[in-house]
Structures are given as C-alpha cells and as structure tokens.
C-alpha cells in the first residue's frame, strides 16, 4: 500500500497526501503541466530534505561531541504554546519544536516527527478543509484546488 493511501487509512495527513491530492486534482481538471511541476518539485524537495537531514545529523553528532554532560536551561517555547514568558523546564518535561534555550544547552528526544507533530496536525488538515470550503462555496474545482 502506498504512503498516501496509508495516510488516508490511518487519518494521518502528511505531505504525501497533499501532493497526491494536488497532482490528482491537476490531472482531473486537465492541468497536466501543473501536475508535472508539483510532482517534480516534490521529488526535488524530497532529495533536498534527505541531503539536508544527513548534513544535520553529522553536525548534531559533532556538536554532541563537544557538549557538556549537564546544564541548567530555561526554554522559550512561546512560538507554539503562546506562553507570556519563558518557562523553566526540568528533565522529562515536554518541549515543542521551535523551543529555544535562553542559555546553555538543551538535550531533547523527539517523540513526534513528520505527520505526528503539532504543526502537521494543524496545518495539513487546515489546507484540506480550506479547499473543501472553497469547493462548497464556489462549486468550482478549479478554485478549490488553487485556493490552498
């Protein structure tokens, strides 16, 4: 089973589902060039992501080699949580992607990645809902597929 069908089956909205929907929609409305461009950009994006991920892993590994064993930090997670001031966190506390350490170093373990992140759970379904609303209001699939 392909990744986009698995995503639908488990209600895990991901970029694979969005790209598949965009390409299928473009093909349905006869926009073959646009379908090809979306598919091409997705492939290039996936290649860049893999290349960047490998470089990032190498850099993080190098940083871990020079990192201290312990540090006291105050994370600033306001980008996601909307907290008015940075919050002090202890070992085992939850922090979100985009959290910044006010000083020192912060070691975290990723419990959620990709389609399981808070951003993905908000953004991807939002795009799909916006497209469906555009379709319901205009009754024009061209508008619905281009509005998102």
């Amino acid at each position: 089973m392909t990744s986009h069908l698995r995503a639908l089956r488990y209600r895990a909205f991901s970029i694979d589902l969005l790209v598949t929907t965009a390409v299928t929609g473009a093909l349905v409305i006869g926009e073959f060039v646009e379908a090809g461009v979306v598919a091409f950009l997705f492939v290039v994006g996936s290649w860049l992501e893999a290349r960047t991920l490998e470089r990032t892993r190498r850099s993080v590994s190098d940083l871990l080699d020079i990192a201290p064993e312990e540090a006291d930090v105050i994370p600033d997670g306001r980008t996601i949580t909307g907290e008015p001031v940075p919050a002090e966190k202890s070992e085992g506390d939850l922090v979100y992607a985009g959290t910044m350490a006010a000083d020192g170093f912060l070691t975290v373990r990723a419990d959620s990645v990709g389609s399981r992140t808070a951003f993905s759970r908000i953004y991807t379904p939002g795009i799909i809902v916006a497209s469906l609303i555009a379709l319901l209001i205009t009754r024009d699939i061209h508008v619905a597929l281009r509005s998102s």
Side-chain angles (χ1 to χ4, degrees), residues 106-119:
L106 181 64
T107 302
V108 297
R109 182 190 69 206
D111 290 330
S112 298
V113 295
S115 63
R116 295 186 309 254
T117 63
F119 179 76

Side-chain angles (χ1 to χ4, degrees), residues 70-89:
E70 293 183 23
D72 294 324
V73 296
I74 299 177
D76 184 352
R78 294 181 284 179
T79 54
I80 294 283
T81 64
E83 297 169 337
V85 294
E88 189 169 328
K89 298 288 184 176

Side-chain angles (χ1 to χ4, degrees), residues 12-29:
F13 299 103
S14 67
I15 189 67
D16 295 329
L17 178 61
L18 284 177
V19 170
T20 301
T21 303
V23 170
T24 303
L27 292 172
V28 165
I29 63 175

